[in-house]
């Protein structure tokens, strides 16, 4: 563990999460400043649950979620491509089993992408929780919100158990963030190209976003359905889970073959 912690001292592994945190701090700060004078007039409209970035369907929300596939790859997912470029991977595999190294790379990539999403979304909610009145959403008063079954998973939970709802919508995009980062590592394991590995997830998800708008019954964009107040219609949740697990399995196996290919050259 100390071996990996020591390697994470490089600032380049924290670019993605730094940008994401800057976005949510700007969102929370601008939200509080814009509604400060209206607190007494409409308190039910200005709560952590109604103004949280994943519910607040504004341009900052879209900016964050559209950029997540890129930000998650500006993280620990770069560690393998750095090992390839420096030749350090061949030094590592001489001292520890290759399968153990691959497992470590996969876990680090996934967790780095997961954390890149988890921490900023949590920070945004906590800031709003400190400054806005802690009032639960009301189905009548907050009917202007686009929290509907067609665009929000478990929409009823928003009004009955909003804290559980927020937790779900922090975890959902975080798991996709781990997938973005792991996909980046997979590209790196086959191409050995840093720029391509960092941008591949963003490019694929961007194309998928366009295709999903044309064929919504067949394709969906993970970053868009991860928004609590999604701008698109949602696929069946079981379909999302099954496709996620299959994709993760494919990526994990592909990384094994890709790393072995590089090491055995």
């Amino acid at each position: 563990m100390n071996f990996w912690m020591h390697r994470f001292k490089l600032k380049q592994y924290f670019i993605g999460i730094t940008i994401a945190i800057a976005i949510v701090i700007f969102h929370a700060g601008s939200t509080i400043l814009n509604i400060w004078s209206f607190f007494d007039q409409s308190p039910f409209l200005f709560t952590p649950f109604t103004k949280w970035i994943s519910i607040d369907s504004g341009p900052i929300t879209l900016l964050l979620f559209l950029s997540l596939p890129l930000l998650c790859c500006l993280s620990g997912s770069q560690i393998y491509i750095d090992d390839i470029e420096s030749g350090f991977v061949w030094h590592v595999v001489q001292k520890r089993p290759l399968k153990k190294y691959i497992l470590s790379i996969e876990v680090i990539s996934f967790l780095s992408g997961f954390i890149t999403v988890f921490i900023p979304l949590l920070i945004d909610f906590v800031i709003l929780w400190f400054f806005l009145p802690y009032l639960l959403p009301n189905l009548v008063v907050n009917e202007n919100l686009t929290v509907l079954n067609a665009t929000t998973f478990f929409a009823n939970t928003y009004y009955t158990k909003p804290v559980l709802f927020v937790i779900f919508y922090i975890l959902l995009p975080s798991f996709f963030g781990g997938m973005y980062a792991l996909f980046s590592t997979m590209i790196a394991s086959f191409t050995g190209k840093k720029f391509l590995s960092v941008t591949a997830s963003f490019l694929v998800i961007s194309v998928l976003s366009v295709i999903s708008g044309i064929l919504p019954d067949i394709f969906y964009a993970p970053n868009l359905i991860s928004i609590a107040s999604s701008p698109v219609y949602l696929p069946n949740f079981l379909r999302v889970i099954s496709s996620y697990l299959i994709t993760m399995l494919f990526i994990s196996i592909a990384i094994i073959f890709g790393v072995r290919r590089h090491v055995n050259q």
Side-chain angles (χ1 to χ4, degrees):
M1 181 60 71
N2 291 333
F3 169 78
W4 292 108
M5 293 300 294
H6 179 73
R7 300 187 63 196
F8 261 84
K9 293 182 179 180
L10 295 178
K11 295 181 180 179
Q12 68 191 61
Y13 298 143
F14 300 93
I15 295 175
I17 192 170
T18 301
I19 295 175
I21 289 176
I23 292 174
V24 299
I25 290 178
F26 177 79
H27 169 265
S30 60
T31 297
I32 293 169
L33 290 175
N34 289 336
I35 66 178
W36 191 267
S37 59
F38 298 101
F39 280 163
D40 295 333
Q41 300 177 23
S42 305
F44 279 95
L45 298 179
F46 310 126
T47 75
F49 300 107
T50 59
K51 304 307 293 183
W52 182 44
I53 190 168
S54 194
I55 289 291
D56 187 15
S57 55
I60 301 179
T61 300
L62 287 176
L63 171 64
L64 175 64
F65 281 87
L66 289 176
S67 63
L68 282 181
L70 177 60
L71 298 182
C72 289
C73 299
L74 295 171
S75 64
S77 65
Q78 301 177 64
I79 200 168
Y80 175 72
I81 194 69
D82 288 342
D83 286 353
I84 289 293
E85 291 183 344
S86 65
F88 186 66
V89 62
W90 288 277
H91 173 74
V92 173
V93 297
Q94 288 177 1
K95 295 187 175 182
R96 59 183 63 208
L98 179 58
K99 61 181 180 180
K100 186 175 181 180
Y101 171 77
I102 295 174
L103 179 61
S104 298
I105 288 294
E106 290 182 337
V107 171
I108 288 172
S109 296
F110 177 84
L111 290 179
S112 63
F114 184 96
I115 293 172
T116 298
V117 182
F118 184 91
I119 292 180
L121 290 181
L122 181 61
I123 287 175
D124 187 84
F125 183 78
V126 169
I127 292 175
L128 295 176
W129 180 78
F130 271 110
F131 286 93
L132 303 184
Y134 189 82
L135 299 173
L136 301 183
N138 185 283
L139 184 60
V140 176
V141 177
N142 302 126
E143 63 179 351
N144 61 311
L145 297 175
T146 55
V147 182
L148 309 169
N149 287 320
T151 55
T152 304
F153 291 117
F154 312 113
N156 294 334
T157 309
Y158 177 72
Y159 299 102
T160 57
K161 298 178 181 178
V163 174
L164 187 61
F165 178 88
V166 170
I167 292 174
F168 172 79
Y169 268 103
I170 290 179
L171 291 176
L172 179 64
S174 298
F175 275 104
F176 279 121
M179 183 180 71
Y180 304 148
L182 208 58
F183 183 80
S184 173
T185 300
M186 182 192 75
I187 298 299
S189 70
F190 281 97
T191 66
K193 305 294 184 181
K194 174 172 284 190
F195 179 78
L196 183 59
S197 66
V198 169
T199 58
S201 289
F202 177 75
L203 294 175
V204 169
I205 298 301
S206 297
V207 172
L208 199 57
S209 298
V210 175
I211 297 177
S212 66
I214 302 173
L215 302 171
D217 295 332
I218 302 176
F219 298 96
Y220 67 86
N223 57 337
L224 296 182
I225 68 168
S226 297
I227 306 175
S229 184
S230 176
V232 298
Y233 290 109
L234 301 177
N236 181 275
F237 187 62
L238 291 179
R239 176 189 162 201
V240 173
I241 294 177
S242 59
S243 60
Y244 178 86
L245 293 176
I246 293 172
T247 303
M248 288 292 288
L249 179 62
F250 171 80
I251 293 174
S252 299
I253 294 174
I255 290 174
I256 295 174
F257 285 101
V259 172
R260 285 180 174 174
R261 171 178 168 271
H262 260 116
V263 171
N264 294 329
Q265 283 181 343

